[in-house]
Amino acid sequence: MKPSVLLARAVFPEIIEKLSQHFEVEANQDDIIYTPDELADKLRGKAGVLATASARFDAQTIGRAPDLKMVANMAVGYDNIDLAACTARGVMASNTPDVLNETTADFGWALLMATARRVTESEHWLRAGKWSKWSYDCFLGADVHGSTLGILGMGRIGQAIARRSMGFNMRVIYHNRSRLAAEQEREANNASYVSKDELLSTADHVILVLPYSPASHHTIGQAELAMMKPSATLVNLARGGIVDDVALIAALKEKRIAAAGLDVFENEPKFHPDFLTLENVVLTPHIASASEATRKAMAHRAADNLIAGLNGQRPPDLLNPAALPTA
Ligand code: DGY
């Protein structure tokens, strides 16, 4: 008998077909967001689950899924999975690194440009019928070319963003848990390693691409926003919770920074309603990796991990090798 797997969210039909060759598949094409109780119910009898960052696999959920052997996350981030709890129970976990680097970097650039050059704000104004004449000071923004780009979190996506800055003749500064090798810095538009404080006080445009963990919670709060230039922009591509949204709203309202571009929010898909009252913020619904090709690549990669893990092979993107069956 084939092992059973749960698809916790709707996926491309080709993924259901692919997984059905190996498993009994319970799909969720109505895309119901399961409550923790519903998820626990659905996981009963399932050897594996293909999940997204919207489903939490905490110690309680893992503890209520005695048949579970693998959680394959369709995301590079895995802050929704308690890896220690998985490992303690012998549940393998995987993510989908690399396949989304370039697409996410493209989007970081889109948000940066839209934020600095007030693209959505001016479009809303135009759509509202407010454009009656050209004027010298209509939606003045900040230059991107020739400016200083500060990247907080210089992993593979951060480096892909830095490479793109070469065409804009920018100076790149970065801060990361560890400094990159000299060769990597060179390829990342000769990026210079600086302290977090120097980055915040020097950059014209700050992009956040660091992973979320309890240690990175509210990495950008009131004190950090106060270090930024009043003309600076902030882009968050990483995870809600890295920025203190209440502090950011206050800084944007009081024009202590010029503008922000946000693809992620604390408690998303809910978000602080005050964002909607601000003109100097560009808001997008967690779509940085959402090109068709990349989302398909992520889904296939998650499926490949699940197939490997439940067929006795090492999943290519295994996050917790200590959970591998030892026999
Ligand atoms: C990721 O891959 O982590 C993206 O944010 C989608 O969740």
Side-chain angles (χ1 to χ4, degrees):
M1 209 172 89
K2 292 187 203 169
S4 293
V5 298
L6 174 70
L7 308 188
R9 296 290 307 277
V11 291
F12 296 103
E14 68 197 55
I15 300 299
I16 302 179
E17 276 167 42
K18 177 174 183 157
L19 290 171
S20 298
Q21 290 167 23
H22 301 265
F23 310 120
E24 293 299 331
V25 174
E26 180 171 345
N28 176 14
Q29 291 308 78
D30 290 335
D31 209 22
I32 294 160
I33 305 287
Y34 298 133
T35 63
D37 281 345
E38 287 168 342
L39 183 61
D41 253 17
K42 292 279 175 191
L43 288 173
R44 207 160 297 133
K46 304 295 190 312
V49 55
L50 192 143
T52 68
S54 58
R56 299 211 68 75
F57 291 88
D58 54 17
Q60 217 186 356
T61 301
I62 297 293
R64 293 170 75 187
D67 305 300
L68 194 65
K69 296 186 173 57
M70 173 136 194
V71 180
N73 222 27
M74 183 187 146
V76 65
Y78 49 88
D79 49 293
N80 58 315
I81 303 175
D82 183 335
L83 278 190
C86 284
T87 306
R89 266 274 336 279
V91 174
M92 295 173 280
S94 62
N95 67 340
T96 58
D98 295 324
V99 286
L100 76 177
N101 295 348
E102 300 300 325
T103 297
T104 304
D106 286 350
F107 194 79
W109 216 257
L111 259 189
L112 166 57
M113 297 294 287
T115 304
R117 297 302 309 276
R118 306 174 67 180
V119 172
T120 53
E121 182 188 354
S122 58
E123 189 195 349
H124 292 152
W125 182 82
L126 178 149
R127 283 178 184 267
K130 295 181 179 171
W131 191 24
S132 60
K133 58 183 186 302
W134 182 94
S135 52
Y136 75 96
D137 60 350
C138 187
F139 290 102
L140 299 179
D143 272 328
V144 174
H145 75 272
S147 65
T148 298
L149 176 63
I151 302 177
L152 200 51
M154 194 60 142
R156 287 162 288 203
I157 296 171
Q159 291 171 55
I161 290 170
R163 283 196 303 277
R164 284 160 173 73
S165 72
M166 287 183 206
F168 287 79
N169 193 25
M170 294 173 95
R171 173 177 168 240
V172 176
I173 55 179
Y174 75 97
H175 185 74
N176 201 35
R177 267 173 308 188
S178 47
R179 189 171 173 170
L180 298 182
E183 175 68 8
Q184 288 174 307
E185 286 187 350
R186 199 183 56 73
E187 285 176 4
N189 194 10
N190 291 313
S192 305
Y193 185 73
V194 296
S195 69
K196 182 178 143 195
D197 290 2
E198 186 179 342
L199 183 146
L200 292 170
S201 58
T202 314
D204 297 304
H205 305 289
V206 175
I207 296 200
L208 308 175
V209 227
L210 61 165
Y212 181 82
S213 70
S216 63
H217 185 72
H218 288 186
T219 292
I220 301 294
Q222 196 183 358
E224 291 74 20
L225 290 161
M227 288 181 208
M228 292 175 65
K229 297 179 185 179
S231 55
T233 64
L234 176 73
V235 166
N236 187 6
L237 281 185
R239 278 286 182 273
I242 288 176
V243 176
D244 176 345
D245 284 351
V246 171
L248 176 60
I249 287 164
L252 290 167
K253 264 188 193 158
E254 293 158 22
K255 306 273 166 63
R256 282 188 270 116
I257 66 169
L262 306 173
D263 188 45
V264 286
F265 304 86
E266 290 191 289
N267 309 316
E268 65 180 55
K270 296 196 183 91
F271 55 88
H272 198 298
D274 283 9
F275 278 126
L276 297 180
T277 67
L278 297 171
E279 285 171 345
N280 53 347
V281 64
V282 179
L283 307 167
T284 54
H286 201 148
I287 55 169
S289 62
S291 74
E292 185 173 349
T294 290
R295 284 284 166 87
K296 281 194 173 160
M298 290 165 71
H300 276 282
R301 189 131 174 179
D304 290 341
N305 274 293
L306 198 55
I307 292 165
L310 297 185
N311 280 330
Q313 291 149 15
R314 186 188 172 106
D317 304 307
L318 183 65
L319 294 164
N320 56 345
L324 277 175
T326 44

